[in-house]
Amino acid sequence: MSDFSARRVMMVDTQVRPSDVTKFPIIAAMLAVPREAYVPHSKSEAAYVGENLEIGNGRVMVEARTLAKMLDALDVQPTDRALYIAGGLGYGAAVLGRMLASVVMVESDAGLAGAAQASFGAGNVCVVTGPLEAGAAGSYDVILIEGGVQDVPEALLAQLAEGGRIAAIFMQGALGSVKIGHKADGRVTWRFSFNATAPILPGFAKIAAFAL
């Protein structure tokens, strides 16, 4: 039997800490959440590799480094209300749930959403099944989108509270960069944080403008 607990420590020591992620709540959460429980069963042995992991239907679980750096850049606080978009099988939402009192996770794939909810049980992560770009009704201090985007719909940005932060991986061809958006005076201003890649999520592709 694989020693997943030892692999978890190695993941944090070789992928997360060297990426300048040192905040205790993030480190503690990633050491506590069993990543192998949130991947397809056939891929449990690859749960701790340092790259994006395919979970089906063109979707991926982003590598631990990317998730940790996104959480770090969002400066998550214990009192934050959080919305997790495209949670897949739930690993990232579970990590965030270790840091906060409650998390709302949105997943459009009913199979993934059902598996995630089964993993959470009666815990503090609520799974909403529906279009990713629609988010979930409410006002959130933190929004994290686990996947590539070309554009973030206004309907989702409207759910970000004043003073809130949002993280997304903006893709341009094969290249991507994580940007953090800050909302002030009703507007979201984006700033570059670090490089990362992920497939573009359904509902987040840029709509081509019609031209004559």
Side-chain angles (χ1 to χ4, degrees), residues 83 85 104 106 128-138 140 155-156 159 204:
L83 179 63
I85 301 295
V104 176
V106 179
V128 175
T129 305
L132 303 176
E133 69 275 16
Y140 303 94
L156 184 56
Q159 295 172 17
F204 288 89

Side-chain angles (χ1 to χ4, degrees), residues 48-98:
Y48 293 96
V49 298
E51 58 188 41
N52 292 346
L53 185 66
E54 293 183 5
I55 57 175
N57 297 327
R59 298 280 300 282
V60 301
M61 171 195 289
V62 299
E63 61 178 321
R65 166 192 174 275
T66 297
L67 175 63
K69 287 179 70 66
M70 290 175 84
L71 293 172
D72 185 66
L74 283 168
D75 192 24
V76 176
Q77 300 298 311
T79 56
D80 282 339
R81 298 157 295 172
L83 179 63
Y84 201 105
I85 301 295
L89 289 165
Y91 173 72
V95 170
L96 189 54
R98 282 272 179 168

